[in-house]
Amino acid sequence: DLDEVSRLFLGYFVILEALGLVSSRVVARRIFRVIRRRRGVDRRVLLVGWDATATLLVHGIQADDGLGAEIVGYLGDDSGEANLRHLGAIDQLGETLAREVVDEVVVLNTTASWAELGKVIALCEEQGKPVRVPLHGLGHAMGHGRVEYFRGEPILALAPTPERALGLATKRVADLVVGLILLVLTFPILVIVGAVSLSTQGRPVLFSQVRVGLHGREFRLRKLRTMVVDAEARKPSLAQANERTGPAFKVDDDPRITPLGRFLRRTSLDELPQIWNVIRGDMSLIGPRPPVPDEVKDYDPWHRRRLSMKPGITGLWQVSARSAPDFDRWVEIDIEYIDRWSLWLDLAILIRTIPAVLSMGGR
């Protein structure tokens, strides 16, 4: 009964609740800054345009190592700072996003028309790039986004999906914990399978390949070798047998797969070395599968949005439409995962992966 609760108690409760909320946000921000300082650069920023306040913004980003940010360069007239890379004109944004590793875009050309600004924002949203626009010079508010402050400068932050820093940090911690546990549990299996592979197939036991990860970052993925040694050289001869549309390549009855390799694929044992990629931070346990660079070169702009989430060993596509031949459908499912992402969704996918692996449906 509220009548029995002291007003003084309620007053103290409200004050303490507010102080607790504020202090927890301050502590969380400080923790993130310490982590970023230790990790170094983890955000690559592209500047679009140049104006009078750009120099202050650039110096602020470069001076604050707690941001974990690095400026890739800028697009616009060749009138920016001499120590920044000039990457071309603003209308070359699409080519630049395809060529450079970019995590977010800051639009400084606030004198541009709303139509021009809208094109920049639409292209970034299509590819899953968060956009930030300093509010000075903007005549009216936009329909979505939030206002942030950087060194006293109000900036409108626009994201194609909600920015979930705390949730993604929790996802990373879960990847580390679960990844280390899986590495310990599966190490004996890796040793046994590696020994069998060495005795029946010879060297190398592991297959290493460059893949494309978060926002275009390339990394080296490792799997247990399931194909003949010269598999990559024989790939062009199988182009006509490709059973997938679009830039993806997949031959279900691939003649390059060895007998042991077929067993490893059916049981998904060939994927075990990727746990190390998860621990390193190149991948996550759950996420879109990492493509090879040649596939990414043939992507349509909207396909690149699947690169806005860290790639995973398994994902929504693997447990819902693994046999779908249409590459566009794969990307639609990956984008659905990105838009719907939550820790609960990751857990649901992980649970659904278990029967998929036990059914030995890998190919």
Side-chain angles (χ1 to χ4, degrees):
D1 190 344
L2 290 178
D3 292 335
E4 298 178 2
V5 179
S6 166
R7 291 181 181 179
L8 182 62
F9 172 79
L10 286 175
Y12 280 133
F13 178 80
V14 171
I15 293 172
L16 291 174
E17 180 76 10
L19 289 174
L21 181 61
V22 172
S23 61
S24 65
R25 290 175 66 89
V26 171
V27 170
R29 286 181 179 178
R30 298 220 170 172
I31 291 174
F32 279 133
R33 294 178 77 85
V34 170
I35 292 173
R36 280 174 173 163
R37 283 195 180 99
R38 292 184 177 180
R39 287 174 57 184
V41 173
D42 64 354
R43 282 194 299 166
R44 290 171 57 82
V45 179
L46 173 68
L47 306 181
V48 176
W50 197 268
D51 65 8
T53 63
T55 300
L56 294 175
L57 181 67
V58 169
H59 288 171
I61 293 175
Q62 293 175 334
D64 193 342
D65 58 354
L67 289 174
E70 174 187 29
I71 298 176
V72 178
Y74 72 97
L75 296 174
D77 296 335
D78 190 5
S79 57
E81 292 213 339
N83 64 341
L84 290 181
R85 295 168 61 203
H86 179 234
L87 299 172
I90 293 177
D91 60 8
Q92 294 176 289
L93 175 61
E95 297 94 313
T96 304
L97 292 179
R99 184 179 66 248
E100 302 286 340
V101 175
V102 175
D103 295 299
E104 59 187 67
V105 174
V106 176
V107 180
L108 297 172
N109 190 27
T110 53
T111 59
S113 68
W114 280 101
E116 293 172 330
L117 188 59
K119 290 179 182 178
V120 170
I121 294 171
L123 182 57
C124 291
E125 288 188 335
E126 183 180 45
Q127 299 195 26
K129 310 291 185 184
V131 183
R132 287 174 168 79
V133 186
L135 285 180
H136 68 272
L138 293 181
H140 53 282
M142 299 188 71
H144 65 290
R146 68 176 186 276
V147 176
E148 299 174 342
Y149 288 87
F150 178 72
R151 294 184 174 243
E153 173 71 23
I155 294 175
L156 182 66
L158 307 170
T161 55
E163 293 187 290
R164 298 150 289 199
L166 184 58
L168 290 174
T170 305
K171 178 180 172 75
R172 176 61 186 146
V173 171
D175 283 338
L176 276 173
V177 173
V178 178
L180 288 170
I181 293 173
L182 288 175
L183 186 64
V184 172
L185 294 178
T186 61
F187 184 74
I189 299 174
L190 277 169
V191 172
I192 294 171
V193 174
V196 173
S197 177
L198 184 63
S199 63
T200 59
Q201 299 183 149
R203 297 177 183 273
V205 173
L206 294 178
F207 171 71
S208 178
Q209 188 180 48
V210 174
R211 295 292 182 98
V212 180
L214 182 65
H215 291 302
R217 290 173 173 81
E218 293 187 351
F219 66 97
R220 190 160 291 277
L221 176 144
R222 289 176 173 81
K223 302 172 67 174
L224 289 170
R225 183 165 67 87
T226 60
M227 291 187 173
V228 294
V229 176
D230 62 343
E232 287 299 302
R234 292 168 58 178
K235 182 177 178 179
S237 65
L238 296 171
Q240 297 298 322
N242 185 14
E243 299 175 11
R244 301 295 185 265
T245 62
F249 180 86
K250 182 72 173 180
V251 178
D252 289 337
D253 293 322
D254 198 320
R256 299 173 298 167
I257 301 176
T258 65
L260 176 61
R262 201 166 299 279
F263 169 78
L264 294 178
R265 289 194 174 198
R266 288 181 63 84
T267 58
S268 299
L269 290 174
D270 61 315
E271 309 283 358
L272 289 180
Q274 292 171 57
I275 296 173
W276 182 244
N277 288 111
V278 172
I279 294 173
R280 280 174 46 88
D282 302 320
M283 297 175 62
S284 175
L285 290 171
I286 314 294
R289 285 297 295 166
V292 297
D294 285 345
E295 290 179 7
V296 175
K297 289 178 182 177
D298 294 330
Y299 275 9
D300 292 335
W302 74 276
H303 290 155
R304 297 187 64 85
R305 192 166 173 226
R306 72 189 300 263
L307 303 178
S308 64
M309 194 74 148
K310 192 174 288 188
I313 296 178
T314 186
L316 185 60
W317 166 71
Q318 283 86 347
V319 299
S320 60
R322 188 167 186 168
S323 60
D326 186 6
F327 177 73
D328 284 354
R329 179 58 184 150
W330 295 6
V331 178
E332 288 171 358
I333 293 173
D334 286 337
I335 292 176
E336 178 188 351
Y337 166 76
I338 293 169
D339 289 341
R340 292 175 49 203
W341 179 81
S342 69
L343 295 172
W344 290 112
L345 179 58
D346 273 4
L347 180 60
I349 292 172
L350 195 60
I351 292 172
R352 291 175 64 184
T353 299
I354 296 173
V357 171
L358 295 179
S359 67
M360 299 180 66
R363 291 183 291 180

